[in-house]
């Protein structure tokens, strides 16, 4: 019977060093292999050219490298790139490179499908098949960094966990991936250039604060009125706004890190003065800024982009209270790469 090989990237550097000692080799070989796996992004053992052929064969006998493969890359007319990423078990997720004149941002996925049920999001219509492993999240970033260098002549500058999935429902693996991304032995990116976006899982927001994470937090809010939010984000019944408010107050108390609220305005759903006033009240709880996001249609007639007048009313109301507000125009709509559109339609 064939012995199942272990994914070598589940091992720590110390475990790799121990492996080499156990087979009678030098422990420092573990350091070399670890460097190839993470900072050099090797996809197979043959690439490890400073390691002897005999040692590479031993690695081949015991381990596999379950790297991702970009199955399809689509380029938008605005420069956005969407990757259909095939995982080692054949499942596919999507990730996006978003360029601007001053930065390139990777939008990465954390789950195949999604654990939550937001009615306006295409990803939510896919059942959650599994969580992504830390190396699968890391590999998305590596692939987008290469594309950023190739097509935009600069390294990746920012990362947002706003792709497929709810990051806080895959908390441990997301944190392990960020540890690798920010490590000097990985990509060496500053955690301040990473934003984790959640639909709002209070218990996990508090855990992040307790874990003293250094990255930024964004919350997909979309309504500060309980019934309205529950109607478009049914999980809000389990994680109500009062619990979210308390978790965000706890986050700010522990981290002193300002929160970003992601907020889409829809016609007839959350475009009234009552909705604006409720958001202003919610913004008073902790220091924050608001990103008003252009809605990207997913074929559901119940959700339509609000009028410019409604958006301007939000802007004027928020700014009058000294709340920073930005309007985010969507990128990559022509290739279904915009916010809320990721649904493996490539």
């Amino acid at each position: 019977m064939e012995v199942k090989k272990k994914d070598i990237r589940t091992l720590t550097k110390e475990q790799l060093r121990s492996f080499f000692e156990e087979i009678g080799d030098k422990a420092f070989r573990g350091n070399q292999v670890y460097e190839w796996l993470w900072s050099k992004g090797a996809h197979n053992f043959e690439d490890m050219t400073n390691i002897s052929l005999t040692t590479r064969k031993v690695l081949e006998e015991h381990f596999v490298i379950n790297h991702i493969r970009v199955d399809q890359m689509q380029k938008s007319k605005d420069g956005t790139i969407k990757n259909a990423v095939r995982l080692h078990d054949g499942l596919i997720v999507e990730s996006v490179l978003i360029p601007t004149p001053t930065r390139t941002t990777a939008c990465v996925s954390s789950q195949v499908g999604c654990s939550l049920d937001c009615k306006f999001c295409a990803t939510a219509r896919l059942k959650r098949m599994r969580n992504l492993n830390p190396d699968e999240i890391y590999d998305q970033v590596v692939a987008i960094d290469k594309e950023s260098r190739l097509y935009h002549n600069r390294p990746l500058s920012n990362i947002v966990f706003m792709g497929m999935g709810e990051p806080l429902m895959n908390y441990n693996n997301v944190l392990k991936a960020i540890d690798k991304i920010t490590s000097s032995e990985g990509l060496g990116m500053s955690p301040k250039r990473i934003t984790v976006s959640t639909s709002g899982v209070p218990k996990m927001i508090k855990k992040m604060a307790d874990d003293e994470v250094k990255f930024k937090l964004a919350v997909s809010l979309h309504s500060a009125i309980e019934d309205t939010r529950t109607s478009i984000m049914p999980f809000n019944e389990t994680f109500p706004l009062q619990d979210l408010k308390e978790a965000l107050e706890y986050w700010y108390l522990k981290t002193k890190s300002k929160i970003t609220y992601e907020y889409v305005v829809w016609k007839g759903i959350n475009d009234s003065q009552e909705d604006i006033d409720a958001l202003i009240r919610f913004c008073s709880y902790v220091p924050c800024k608001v990103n008003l996001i252009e809605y990207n249609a997913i074929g559901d007639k119940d959700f339509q982009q609000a009028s410019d007048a409604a958006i301007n009313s939000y802007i004027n109301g928020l700014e009058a209270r000294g709340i920073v507000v930005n309007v985010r125009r969507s990128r990559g709509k022509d290739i279904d790469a915009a916010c809320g559109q990721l649904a493996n339609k490539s």
Side-chain angles (χ1 to χ4, degrees):
M1 187 178 74
E2 188 178 346
V3 177
K4 187 177 180 183
K5 296 179 184 179
K6 190 177 181 68
D7 180 358
I8 193 168
R9 288 193 295 177
T10 63
L11 301 184
T12 64
K13 187 199 289 187
E14 290 68 33
Q15 288 171 323
L16 279 170
R17 288 173 60 88
S18 296
F19 168 78
F20 280 104
E21 287 180 324
E22 286 166 12
I23 64 170
D25 206 332
K26 303 272 197 311
F28 78 85
R29 294 270 177 247
N31 299 17
Q32 292 177 309
V33 171
Y34 192 86
E35 183 180 11
W36 276 108
L37 293 172
W38 296 107
S39 59
K40 294 183 178 178
H43 281 189
N44 56 70
F45 298 114
E46 290 175 11
D47 294 340
M48 301 179 180
T49 49
N50 64 343
I51 295 170
S52 72
L53 185 59
T54 303
T55 303
R56 278 181 268 163
K57 284 181 177 176
V58 171
L59 289 170
E60 198 80 55
E61 287 167 9
H62 286 83
F63 302 108
V64 292
I65 306 173
N66 285 332
H67 61 83
I68 65 162
R69 187 174 78 243
V70 177
D71 244 20
Q72 184 182 2
M73 185 187 76
Q74 293 175 276
K75 293 180 76 174
S76 167
K77 59 191 176 187
D78 65 20
T80 300
I81 293 172
K82 181 172 77 168
N83 293 326
V85 174
R86 187 172 295 276
L87 309 174
H88 70 91
D89 56 4
L91 294 173
I92 291 178
V93 296
E94 293 179 338
S95 56
V96 182
L97 167 63
I98 307 162
T100 71
T102 57
R103 62 173 63 179
T104 51
T105 300
C107 177
V108 299
S109 295
S110 56
Q111 296 179 312
V112 186
C114 187
S115 300
L116 301 180
D117 50 8
C118 303
K119 292 185 177 179
F120 51 84
C121 179
T123 308
R125 298 181 177 186
L126 305 172
K127 67 175 183 177
R128 188 194 73 81
M129 287 167 264
R130 70 171 175 86
N131 290 333
L132 293 189
N133 298 326
D135 53 279
E136 293 170 328
I137 297 169
Y138 181 89
D139 283 355
Q140 292 175 70
V141 177
V142 171
I144 291 175
D145 181 52
K146 288 178 181 175
E147 291 167 350
S148 178
R149 293 170 190 270
L150 179 62
Y151 296 108
H152 298 283
N153 298 311
R154 59 179 184 265
L156 185 67
S157 60
N158 296 78
I159 301 169
V160 292
F161 281 77
M162 295 183 187
M164 299 170 72
E166 166 52 62
L168 299 194
M169 294 294 196
N170 187 18
Y171 182 75
N172 290 335
N173 287 352
V174 166
L175 251 62
K176 286 175 183 175
I178 291 174
D179 283 345
K180 283 285 189 296
I181 291 163
T182 56
S183 168
S184 60
E185 297 179 315
L187 298 180
M189 285 190 71
S190 167
K192 296 186 186 307
R193 293 182 173 273
I194 299 173
T195 300
V196 171
S197 178
T198 175
S199 292
V201 186
K203 180 175 76 171
M204 300 312 295
I205 291 171
K206 288 181 177 178
K207 177 160 177 52
M208 281 199 300
D210 287 336
D211 288 344
E212 300 181 344
V213 301
K214 303 301 181 190
F215 50 77
K216 296 176 181 176
L217 173 65
V219 176
S220 294
L221 188 61
H222 308 308
S223 179
I225 297 174
E226 201 77 68
D227 289 346
T228 303
R229 193 168 196 259
T230 299
S231 73
I232 58 176
M233 306 168 83
F235 69 86
N236 185 68
E237 204 156 5
T238 307
F239 306 129
L241 284 168
Q242 180 61 29
D243 292 356
L244 178 59
K245 167 187 173 290
E246 290 171 5
L248 295 174
E249 288 173 333
Y250 186 81
W251 161 271
Y252 187 76
L253 181 70
K254 296 277 284 191
T255 68
K256 296 295 181 283
S257 177
K258 185 183 289 190
I259 293 152
T260 299
Y261 294 124
E262 309 287 354
Y263 199 100
V264 180
V265 187
W266 292 281
K267 181 180 178 182
I269 294 176
N270 61 349
D271 59 348
S272 71
Q273 188 60 47
E274 182 188 5
D275 295 296
I276 296 169
D277 293 342
L279 176 59
I280 290 169
R281 281 195 300 275
F282 202 85
C283 287
S284 70
Y285 300 138
V286 292
C288 63
K289 66 176 182 178
V290 175
N291 285 342
L292 295 177
I293 302 172
E294 183 181 0
Y295 176 60
N296 305 298
I298 60 169
D300 187 333
K301 66 181 187 312
D302 292 337
F303 292 93
Q304 297 178 36
Q305 174 72 26
S307 66
D308 288 344
I311 302 296
N312 288 333
S313 293
Y314 264 96
I315 294 169
N316 295 336
L318 290 163
E319 288 184 342
R321 297 301 182 93
I323 300 162
V324 175
V325 56
N326 300 299
V327 177
R328 293 281 187 241
R329 300 298 176 192
S330 292
R331 308 291 300 273
K333 287 199 286 187
D334 55 322
I335 56 171
D336 290 326
C339 187
Q341 290 186 318
L342 300 186
N344 289 342
K345 291 200 290 184
S346 312

